[in-house]
Amino acid sequence: MIRLDGVTVRYGHGRHAIVAAHGISFSVARGAAYGLVGESGSGKSTVLRAVAGLIAHAGGRVELAGQAMPANRTRPQRRLVQMVFQDPYGSLHPNQTVDQALASPLRVQGLDGGEARIAAALREVGLGTEHRFRFPHQLSGGQRQRVAIARALIVAPRILLLDEPTSALDVSVQAEILNLLTRLRREHGLTMLMVSHDLAVIAHLCEHVGVMQHGRLVEQTTADALAAGAVSHDHTRDLLLSNASFDRRV
Ligand SMILES: Nc1ncnc2c1ncn2[C@@H]1O[C@H](COP(=O)(O)OP(=O)(O)OP(=O)(O)O)[C@@H](O)[C@H]1O
Ligand SMILES: [Mg+2]
């Protein structure tokens, strides 16, 4: 469902250019979940932005659902993949109600039946109709992240990109959101690509893991191998050590 082949992303031009992703290649099968880990600044969000089509890549190919993505994606190609960010406070507009936040992607995609779709999307993420006309500041952090997930799912994408989706939340709320994502993935056959600095969060949702360092994918492994400490790259070992409390009981 996702295939990256030698994807390179540069920010800036000339002498000031930074290569934030160097020749990244990996693939994620339909319905699978792949986790990207690595230190701050290693290029994880950059890879997600390239998959989402939010930034142009200077080299390589991004294929989604078997189609090579062009520089300017068509509306159906944009619908294929939706993204959820770390901070739902930042990603939801403070002056927009939940209803408005959910109506906007439907408008962009030219989808009708808004009324029923909004009610269904709220139900899917476990929010009642009483939340529909609230503003972001009238919701808890976990509820805001549920709204952000509903907004991503309302256009029925096949791929969900998650950039630190639980790191702004309390531990108990984190587990609820991870359980919600696990259920949604199963029910919708979604393919997921998730960034987290927390290996336990990755292991909860993902079967496969890619480790990034300085813009490169330095190791690819499985969550099981990671949990067993069976890693080959020194940097992955360092990450395991810095996640000392990591085990699979999230
Ligand atoms: N818009 C931008 N313009 C210039 N440089 C950028 C831009 N966005 C990111 N970078 C740089 O690219 C590199 C990779 O950034 P990226 O955001 O992908 O890292 P990350 O792995 O997601 O880090 P974090 O864990 O802190 O979110 C960093 O050196 C960063 O400073
Ligand atoms: Mg990031």
Side-chain angles (χ1 to χ4, degrees):
M1 186 58 71
I2 303 174
R3 185 190 299 278
L4 270 67
D5 189 8
V7 170
T8 295
V9 179
R10 237 178 253 128
Y11 293 114
H13 298 282
R15 277 195 309 125
H16 302 292
I18 301 173
V19 183
H22 290 266
I24 304 291
S25 303
F26 67 91
S27 45
V28 189
R30 185 195 309 172
Y34 188 101
L36 271 181
V37 300
E39 63 203 3
S40 182
S42 57
K44 306 178 299 292
S45 297
T46 298
V47 170
L48 251 55
R49 284 184 216 122
V51 174
L54 297 174
I55 44 170
H57 45 98
R61 263 161 86 85
V62 175
E63 262 180 44
L64 301 178
Q67 305 171 42
M69 292 293 118
N72 292 308
R73 296 188 186 179
T74 62
R75 199 155 75 169
Q77 285 169 342
R78 287 197 302 269
R79 181 177 174 182
L80 262 179
V81 40
Q82 297 291 316
M83 191 145 162
V84 174
F85 298 91
Q86 170 176 0
D87 171 16
Y89 226 157
S91 68
L92 297 173
H93 194 290
N95 298 330
Q96 265 190 355
T97 62
V98 170
D99 184 72
Q100 289 167 324
L102 296 185
S104 138
L106 293 175
R107 205 164 41 242
V108 170
Q109 280 294 332
L111 297 172
D112 47 20
E115 184 69 22
R117 283 181 195 265
I118 291 171
L122 286 174
R123 215 177 311 119
E124 288 247 61
V125 298
L127 290 175
T129 44
E130 72 276 18
H131 299 104
R132 182 162 168 181
F133 296 99
R134 292 201 194 161
F135 291 96
H137 73 269
Q138 296 169 322
L139 298 169
S140 70
Q143 289 168 340
R144 278 196 291 271
Q145 197 56 303
R146 286 174 194 268
V147 172
I149 294 167
R151 184 181 54 179
L153 289 181
I154 200 162
V155 300
R158 299 179 67 191
I159 300 167
L160 201 58
L161 306 178
L162 303 150
D163 198 346
E164 300 272 10
T166 62
S167 47
L169 305 172
D170 288 348
V171 174
S172 63
V173 183
Q174 266 186 13
E176 284 173 22
I177 296 292
L178 287 173
N179 290 335
L180 171 67
L181 290 170
T182 303
R183 175 170 63 75
L184 291 171
R185 175 184 162 201
R186 191 177 57 238
E187 288 175 3
H188 297 271
L190 286 164
T191 303
M192 293 185 171
L193 176 58
M194 176 164 77
V195 167
S196 176
H197 64 269
D198 186 337
L199 297 181
V201 165
I202 293 280
H204 192 104
L205 196 72
C206 304
E207 302 83 50
H208 297 277
V209 184
V211 182
M212 290 195 66
Q213 185 184 29
H214 308 316
R216 296 178 195 273
L217 195 59
V218 295
E219 180 160 5
Q220 292 198 71
T221 182
T222 62
D224 289 337
L226 205 60
V231 297
S232 55
H233 199 281
D234 285 345
H235 181 59
T236 312
R237 201 162 293 119
D238 291 346
L239 274 179
L240 273 174
L241 290 173
S242 64
N243 273 254
S245 62
F246 170 55
D247 64 36
R248 303 210 60 178
R249 293 167 287 125
V250 180

